[in-house]
Amino acid sequence: AKRAHRRRYLITPTAAMPVLGNVKSYNRYEAESVFGVITSPTANACFDADGRLAVAGALQHTLLWDVRTGALERTLYGGDEHEVSLIARSPDGRHVAVGHTDGSIRFWRLADGQCVATFAGHTSAVTAMCFDERGAVLVSGARDTDIVVWDVVAECGLYRLRGHKDAVTGVALVRPGGGTDRKLLISSSKDTFVKVWDLDNQHCVQTLVGHRGEVCALALNRDHTRLYTGSVDQDLRVWMFSDAAAAAAAAAVSAGAEGEEVGAGASADQQQSSKKQKRSAA
């Protein structure tokens, strides 16, 4: 049997072929298009007023899905670069506010898919939003630690609230006439704190301290008399509003008490301890 001879080749560099040592060069590829996206894991989803459409963030766009047929009804084009980070529905269910990772917020009308307003007040991803009862005021929080209050009708920013040291994770407007007659805003953050803001004075009137980890969620009950906060420390805390404390806090702020954060509410644990102290004193 004849043995097959293997030919060996030696390639030597030439003047047109420089020696790069161990460095290898690769072709650079970039994605040209994306298809088949239903929703993105970085964004939430919500329903319209009738519950017929599901509004979901899909990369940099917002998709309107027909829940009954499962068909894509409309695409709200949000640009070419920055993904959707959060969606908030207006109280009437006819509009949605869509926050993006660049800090911009687009206000969309669902009936015809028109962007009726664009807000630019944050420098990083929008992480929290809420409307007032009429849908005329929008509050947004972001990773830049700022909270901005927007006038939706006038399409402008009203004022900025600063005080958190990390990303804002939740915002909620307290309805006057519930647990308090003051115009209050509640905000939570990854800095472990929950802050109470008096919107008339645009000041923080109380910082709720108790959680040992990032506060990841907050919610108000239907009567707006209690606040619920959840944290990564596995605690769920319940806080009760006190109108007398809120009035005292507003008076202290208006009097120029700098550096003081006086109570606009009290936690359930604090109220129970105060009751026990009164009983023991009696």
Side-chain angles (χ1 to χ4, degrees), residues 175 220-226:
R175 182 176 63 248
L220 294 167
N221 67 341
R222 183 172 298 180
D223 299 331
H224 285 208
T225 56
R226 292 177 184 268

Side-chain angles (χ1 to χ4, degrees), residues 219-235:
L220 294 167
N221 67 341
R222 183 172 298 180
D223 299 331
H224 285 208
T225 56
R226 292 177 184 268
L227 170 68
Y228 304 88
T229 56
S231 170
V232 296
D233 61 9
Q234 301 182 0
D235 285 349

Side-chain angles (χ1 to χ4, degrees), residues 213-271:
E214 300 176 1
V215 182
C216 52
L218 64 84
L220 294 167
N221 67 341
R222 183 172 298 180
D223 299 331
H224 285 208
T225 56
R226 292 177 184 268
L227 170 68
Y228 304 88
T229 56
S231 170
V232 296
D233 61 9
Q234 301 182 0
D235 285 349
L236 176 65
R237 291 180 176 268
V238 184
W239 311 83
M240 185 177 296
F241 290 102
S242 172
D243 191 51
V253 171
S254 61
E258 295 183 359
E260 288 192 1
E261 293 173 343
V262 203
S267 69
D269 296 339
Q270 291 172 343
Q271 291 196 350

Side-chain angles (χ1 to χ4, degrees), residues 66-201:
D66 191 309
V67 178
R68 185 178 61 84
T69 63
L72 178 61
E73 182 164 313
R74 184 176 290 114
T75 299
L76 309 179
Y77 293 95
D80 298 328
E81 298 181 4
H82 305 287
E83 295 186 12
V84 174
S85 59
L86 189 67
I87 300 174
R89 191 191 73 176
S90 64
D92 60 4
R94 300 176 182 177
H95 299 81
V96 289
V98 180
H100 291 261
T101 54
D102 65 341
S104 64
I105 301 173
R106 290 177 172 85
F107 193 64
W108 296 90
R109 186 168 53 233
L110 296 179
D112 54 6
Q114 294 296 318
C115 180
V116 296
T118 300
F119 303 124
H122 295 288
T123 58
S124 58
V126 178
T127 53
M129 285 190 295
C130 72
F131 286 91
D132 69 342
E133 285 187 319
R134 299 181 302 165
V137 174
L138 173 67
V139 180
S140 63
R143 288 182 183 174
D144 59 10
T145 73
D146 288 352
I147 300 171
V148 181
V149 181
W150 306 90
D151 188 329
V152 176
V153 179
E155 301 181 8
C156 65
L158 296 177
Y159 42 85
R160 185 184 304 270
L161 304 174
R162 289 174 172 165
H164 284 295
K165 302 302 181 183
D166 208 334
V168 179
T169 58
V171 288
L173 287 166
V174 181
R175 182 176 63 248
T180 175
D181 291 331
R182 311 297 301 179
K183 293 181 180 179
L184 299 180
L185 169 69
I186 313 296
S187 65
S188 61
S189 171
K190 288 186 177 182
D191 61 6
T192 74
F193 299 133
V194 178
K195 289 185 176 292
V196 183
W197 306 85
D198 189 318
L199 297 185
D200 291 331
N201 298 308

Side-chain angles (χ1 to χ4, degrees), residues 7-8 25 36 47 82 139 149 179 188 207 223 238 250 279-280:
R7 295 183 178 179
R8 297 181 179 180
S25 60
F47 293 98
H82 305 287
V139 180
V149 181
S188 61
T207 298
D223 299 331
V238 184
R279 290 175 183 174
S280 60

